[in-house]
Amino acid sequence: MTMTLHFHHVAISVKDMNKALHFYRDLLGFEILWEANRRSGAPLSNVVGLNNAETHIVMLRGHGAQVELFHYIHPEGQPAYIVNQCDFGLTHFALSVQGIHEFHAQLVKQGVEFNCDPQNLRPGVWATYMKDFEGNTIELVQYDDIQNN
């Protein structure tokens, strides 16, 4: 049997599902693929490694990716932010965008925090990092030559 492997989704544990949905669905344009308001049970607890886990889960899809939002009802989570991009662990995920300058301006008007305006990293590549409402970092990157990104 040949093993096949492909990327499926990124999961983010959130404190406030309504704020998370506003950011990812309303501001970034992801759509809800499915939702489980109160998921619990031994299989979930075993997979996540938490006793008596109970969650509200929303799987979002859009822009060629899937983002799974978890709000833990039990046990309650604690903040665990990456402070600097050089810290060990998952530091960000990236969304490729065309029209980065316009999209950046739209999000700034909506109160989204960015490290900087889009920067020209090398010929044909523009990027900036933003924070979601809980401080998670998301990169916006534009490749002017989308064939060679």
Side-chain angles (χ1 to χ4, degrees):
M1 178 176 179
T2 303
M3 182 188 85
T4 61
L5 185 68
H6 68 275
F7 191 84
H8 190 266
H9 68 272
V10 169
I12 303 170
S13 182
V14 301
K15 183 176 182 177
D16 186 322
M17 185 62 79
N18 289 328
K19 286 183 180 178
L21 287 173
H22 172 69
F23 185 83
Y24 289 96
R25 180 191 57 205
D26 303 338
L27 295 181
L28 296 186
F30 284 87
E31 64 182 37
I32 295 175
L33 184 59
W34 57 263
E35 181 171 5
N37 284 324
R38 290 186 92 81
R39 180 163 286 172
S40 61
L44 173 68
S45 292
N46 292 338
V47 168
V48 299
L50 297 167
N51 291 329
N52 302 311
E54 185 175 357
T55 64
H56 178 188
I57 306 170
V58 179
M59 181 67 81
L60 302 168
R61 176 175 52 197
H63 317 297
Q66 292 187 156
V67 175
E68 186 177 29
L69 303 175
F70 275 83
H71 169 71
Y72 278 87
I73 299 159
H74 182 267
E76 288 188 35
Q78 301 297 315
Y81 300 115
I82 296 290
V83 176
N84 297 300
Q85 286 296 301
C86 58
D87 293 343
F88 300 117
L90 181 64
T91 59
H92 73 276
F93 67 91
L95 298 172
S96 179
V97 60
Q98 291 300 304
I100 193 171
H101 299 283
E102 296 82 5
F103 192 46
H104 169 264
Q106 274 183 288
L107 293 173
V108 167
K109 286 180 185 174
Q110 295 293 322
V112 175
E113 176 189 337
F114 283 84
N115 287 354
C116 61
D117 292 339
Q119 302 292 300
N120 186 225
L121 298 179
R122 62 182 188 271
V125 180
W126 292 85
T128 186
Y129 284 5
M130 66 178 162
K131 301 283 187 186
D132 73 6
F133 69 100
E134 289 189 354
N136 297 302
T137 301
I138 302 162
E139 178 182 4
L140 293 181
V141 61
Q142 175 176 304
Y143 296 94
D144 292 338
D145 179 2
I146 58 175
Q147 299 297 333
N148 295 311
N149 63 20

